[in-house]
Structures are given as structure tokens and as C-alpha cells.
Amino acid sequence: MDRWQNKIAVVTGASSGTGAATCKALVERGMIVVGLARRVGKMECQTRFLIAIEYRKNFYTQRCDVSNEASVKAAFSWIIEKFGGVDILINNAGILKLGRLTDSKCSDIIKNTINTNVLGVVWCTREAFKSMKERNVDGHIVIINSILGHMVPVIADPLLNIYEPSKYAITAMTEVLRQEFLNQGTHIKVTSISPGAVRTEILEDVAFPIDIPALSSNDIADAIVYCIQTPPNVQIHNMIIKPLGEKY
């Protein structure tokens, strides 16, 4: 992590779960971290206090709704004005709401999922890439994908509606971004990390069964750290990480 000391990392969805764990992991390894989320109060009252006290001064928060392009532009403008630019972006923000594609009552769920899980990554990546390219920084874009971006399990009552297609889009987008970064003459890396089951708050109203093998948010944060500290000539394009014992 030597090359990233005092560099600027931006983490979306930083108010809980993997986002909060990632903020802790990066700031405690010497980075200046900006957490983005709709819930600034939660980042200040929870995420900040996960971080060892001596590193908290290097953790900053800013409100951002990644599904809203104007909100993303405003957040990144603030970051660039305050810190000069972005060196690492962790696209972690995502939502999953239960419902069926065939149910007309789920229209808002479907739109919100696409706007957050797909377009949110587009907006944030565009702003971070622009900052990196203008400053000639060999930065790194990480996207938190899902095992469901590579396979759709057959289950008795499928209720994930557009979530799996949104993650398939991320799988394709990672390759599109790799080619764009290369063709624009940069050495900016892009990595998709696809976890299996993770115990997070993404399903707010559904208790995660304790008997199902699952990863923790810290496991995903560790995977992010592993990917961003690879040598300059090494790019982890896609990492699939599963809990031991997962059936799919």
C-alpha cells in the first residue's frame, strides 16, 4: 500500500456494511478517505467510530445519491476542490428490493435498482476517471459486483427482479471500461469484485439465515485492499469470492 499513502480514495455507499468496512480498511492503511452516501449522519455516527481514533482525522463524509447524476457531479466537484482529485474509487453503493419483474407494482423498485446499481457506477466512474486522466494519475476503479452477475440460480420463488440483470450489466461494464481506459492511453486499472453471500444491510427487512455460509463486510474490504496493492503491471480484472461451503 506504499504507493497509496496520503492518496485520495472515494467510497460510495459508505454508511454501512461493506462501504463502512472499506473506509476503515483504507484509512487505517494510510489513505485519505471520502465516504459518499445519502445518510451523512450514519457515516458520522457509525462509520467514523469503526475507525481507530488516530486515523479518524483522515476520514471525510459528503452526501451523495449515486442514482442522481447532478448529486454525483456536485459531490465530486467538492472532492476535487478540497483535495485536488481522486486516486481510487470504490463503487460499492447498491440496492436490492424484493419483487417481481412481472408485477406492475414494482416499477419504482426496478427503476431505482437500475439507477443505483448501474447508472450510479457510470456517473461515479466517469467523474473519477476524468480526475485521474487530467492529472495523469494511474488510479484504480473498483466495482462491487456479485456472484449473481455471473449466474442466475434457479429458486422456488424468484423475487430479485432486476437485481441480477443489473449485476450482469456490471460484468459487461467492467470490460467496456477496461477497453476505454486502455484506448485513451491511460494506465488506470478497473476491477470487478463479485462476492457470494455477504451479511450486510442490503436486504433491510429480511433476516439473514444464520445457518447459511456467508462472508463478512471485512472479507470484502480485505479483497479490495488485495486488488489495489497489486504491482503496476498486474490488473485483477474480475475476482469471485465465495464463503467456504456456499452451494452455488
Side-chain angles (χ1 to χ4, degrees):
M1 291 289 288
D2 289 348
R3 66 180 292 234
W4 299 120
Q5 295 303 296
N6 296 312
K7 300 298 185 180
I8 308 302
V10 177
V11 180
T12 70
S15 60
S16 64
T18 297
T22 301
C23 290
K24 172 182 170 65
L26 297 183
V27 78
E28 290 183 0
R29 286 171 172 81
M31 297 199 72
I32 297 168
V33 176
V34 180
L36 300 182
R38 291 173 297 173
R39 301 175 292 183
V40 173
K42 197 166 183 182
M43 288 191 287
E44 289 293 345
C45 295
Q46 294 189 30
T47 305
R48 181 173 298 280
F49 289 94
L50 293 175
I51 298 168
I53 192 167
E54 63 268 31
Y55 296 102
R56 291 176 191 170
K57 65 182 184 298
N58 288 330
F59 176 61
Y60 297 82
T61 61
Q62 183 72 5
R63 188 188 184 281
C64 180
D65 178 357
V66 300
S67 70
N68 183 299
E69 185 178 5
S71 180
V72 170
K73 285 183 175 180
F76 277 83
S77 292
W78 178 84
I79 293 166
I80 290 166
E81 181 179 350
K82 185 171 182 65
F83 301 103
V86 179
D87 301 299
I88 285 178
L89 169 66
I90 311 299
N91 283 297
N92 167 72
I95 61 172
L96 190 167
K97 302 290 184 182
L98 299 181
R100 295 183 177 88
L101 283 174
T102 51
D103 187 346
S104 60
K105 296 178 181 178
C106 289
S107 293
D108 286 344
I109 288 174
I110 291 166
K111 291 175 184 177
N112 290 340
T113 302
I114 290 293
N115 287 341
T116 301
N117 294 6
V118 181
L119 293 181
V121 174
V122 174
W123 309 144
C124 291
T125 298
R126 182 189 64 195
E127 298 303 311
F129 175 76
K130 181 181 177 182
S131 171
M132 295 172 189
K133 189 172 187 293
E134 287 178 347
R135 293 156 47 240
N136 196 29
V137 168
D138 295 341
H140 202 141
I141 308 287
V142 177
I143 310 174
I144 303 304
N145 195 343
S146 170
I147 189 65
L148 298 179
H150 304 270
M151 51 84 71
V152 178
V154 178
I155 55 179
D157 188 12
L159 288 171
L160 300 186
N161 57 88
I162 206 71
Y163 180 80
E164 291 146 323
S166 77
K167 292 302 185 179
Y168 264 79
I170 292 302
T171 300
M173 192 190 305
T174 303
E175 174 58 18
V176 170
L177 290 170
R178 186 192 70 81
Q179 293 185 28
E180 284 197 12
F181 295 173
L182 180 64
N183 289 336
Q184 292 189 58
T186 78
H187 293 95
I188 297 169
K189 299 181 184 181
V190 60
T191 298
S192 165
I193 297 178
S194 299
V198 184
R199 297 186 191 278
T200 69
E201 294 181 6
I202 194 166
L203 274 174
E204 296 174 355
D205 301 321
V206 179
F208 199 106
I210 60 173
D211 59 333
I212 292 179
L215 301 164
S216 70
S217 296
N218 290 333
D219 294 326
I220 311 307
D222 287 344
I224 292 169
V225 170
Y226 178 82
C227 290
I228 65 173
Q229 66 181 350
T230 51
N233 65 312
V234 175
Q235 175 172 246
I236 297 175
H237 184 65
N238 180 55
M239 172 187 281
I240 293 177
I241 174 173
K242 295 185 179 185
L244 187 64
E246 185 171 88
K247 295 182 180 180
Y248 296 107

